[in-house]
Amino acid sequence: MLFRQLYEPDSSTFTYLLSCPDTGVTALIDPVLETVERDLEVLQSMGLKLDYAIETHIHADHITGAKKLKNATGCQIAGPAQDELPCRDIGLTEGAAFQIGGITLNPLFTPGHTDTHHAYLLDHHGMPMLFSGDALLIEACGRTDFQSGDAHVLYRSIHNKFFRLPDETLVYPAHDYEDRRITTIGQEKLRNPRLGKNRSEEEFVAIMNGLDLPYPRKIDFSVPGNELCGMCPDNMPEEMKGLCKDSQQR
Amino acid sequence: MLFRQLYEPDSSTFTYLLSCPDTGVTALIDPVLETVERDLEVLQSMGLKLDYAIETHIHADHITGAKKLKNATGCQIAGPAQDELPCRDIGLTEGAAFQIGGITLNPLFTPGHTDTHHAYLLDHHGMPMLFSGDALLIEACGRTDFQSGDAHVLYRSIHNKFFRLPDETLVYPAHDYEDRRITTIGQEKLRNPRLGKNRSEEEFVAIMNGLDLPYPRKIDFSVPGNELCGMCPDNMPEEMKGLCKDSQQR
């Protein structure tokens, strides 16, 4: 497998590049509008053509680069089938493996940050790799206080879907805000301050309800933009409209 | 590959199990005397027979489980050829790949913590995995103030051998003292307080010289014990001699 962990600094988002060396089939998980040109340069430098842009969920902190990438490369846009977005080409569902050439991606329905959030698990020749989206972050987790978030539901997603995986499972989150890059299931079971050391659902919910976080600065235009797969919505701030010129419908 | 990250709490040492699924050939990197029975149980539960016990260096903080494992399983003991230990069966050298069945381990001569320290790099189907020993730890590095340590030499080992690897390289250290399990080269380049953000050799040496660490509590018997591949030396503390009954020469 060819693999790259790419970073968008404004929203501290990781975009993951996965490419099957035998078939050349290539995907990006959670591309960001601001870094589409960078992603295209990486693909070109590796001699790859993009086949799929895959979303873990409807992001509230950035607009996806999916539509702009589709316009540039002809890739297909994939994401949770439950989102029912007409702009997506492929709907992903737990239990139905998705092939990136010879790479098998297993969608895991993991609601709680949003009600349709999916993570993606792949078994890289015996090494499990989990793209955990915003459900599980390094020593943290996604917010549960906006959109369709629910702390009770997130707790059960993490415990029932993630914490049953082997301790050695590599966890690649959608974000980190402190320059970290990776964790494992075993590490989070020990160190996650909200979830580790067998914290109860009640403790977790109390922590999440007490976070007192600021209103997300991009949510009002990011959510409608992401429901359009990365076309900029009418309420896009004037200073950001330049980002949209290559992502609008064609 | 079958892979396990095992932990010995008294010296906070990680032992790594690697097994080739096609051939069944199996190795442990840096086994610890105190956890040999645990290691044997793990091997048995996985239906594996141990072929190699591999050392990264002459440890000062614990006695290796290599000799006791050899007595129990008939495995061969491997480690840096430069150590010139008669008790070892196989000497490893940078430039000469070592096969664990179909798994190719590339020794990297990385002195500085000790003058013969080797790390092991393997390319797991496109995902580089570095067993960094005590040369590079998570947001830390091995001590350079005892045995044959040299902070200048360690800085060059890390920069010339490790920091040239891809950012995505998985780093599996020999120790962690804060329940962490993994890092990457990219993460250490950003976050390692002694080495990250392009710290100079002079800065690193000043940090290492200023650590003012306590005398290692097990060094006086661990170093001679490890030079015997895990037989207990004459100066083993009375209360620990029970550990030695299955590791003495046969």
Side-chain angles (χ1 to χ4, degrees), chain A residues 6 15-17 26-31 39 43 50 52-54 69:
Chain A
L6 306 167
T15 296
Y16 295 98
L17 183 155
T26 300
L28 289 173
I29 297 177
D30 287 339
D39 295 348
L43 289 160
L50 186 65
Y52 305 113
I54 303 173
L69 284 163

Side-chain angles (χ1 to χ4, degrees), chain B residues 14-36:
Chain B
F14 292 118
T15 296
Y16 296 99
L17 183 155
L18 288 74
S19 181
C20 168
D22 301 325
T23 60
V25 179
T26 300
L28 289 173
I29 297 177
D30 286 339
V32 178
L33 184 58
E34 279 87 338
T35 39
V36 165

Side-chain angles (χ1 to χ4, degrees), chain A residues 124 178 181 187 191, chain B residues 5 124 178 181 187 191:
Chain A
H124 181 57
E178 298 179 31
R181 290 294 180 264
Q187 181 170 318
R191 279 181 59 96
Chain B
Q5 182 177 37
H124 182 56
E178 299 179 29
R181 290 294 180 267
Q187 181 170 318
R191 279 181 60 98

Side-chain angles (χ1 to χ4, degrees), chain A residues 77-122:
Chain A
I77 300 175
Q82 287 159 283
D83 289 332
E84 296 185 352
L85 299 183
C87 57
R88 287 207 187 132
D89 304 294
I90 300 166
L92 303 174
T93 311
E94 182 170 316
F98 180 68
Q99 294 298 133
I100 305 167
I103 300 168
T104 302
L105 215 58
N106 294 293
L108 295 179
F109 177 47
T110 41
H113 173 64
T114 71
D115 60 357
T116 61
H117 184 286
H118 280 62
Y120 301 106
L121 179 66
L122 86 81

Side-chain angles (χ1 to χ4, degrees), chain B residues 72-105:
Chain B
T73 68
C75 73
Q76 292 184 286
I77 301 175
Q82 287 159 285
D83 289 333
E84 297 184 352
L85 300 183
C87 56
R88 287 208 187 133
D89 304 293
I90 300 166
L92 303 175
T93 311
E94 182 170 317
F98 180 69
Q99 294 299 132
I100 305 169
I103 300 168
T104 303
L105 215 58

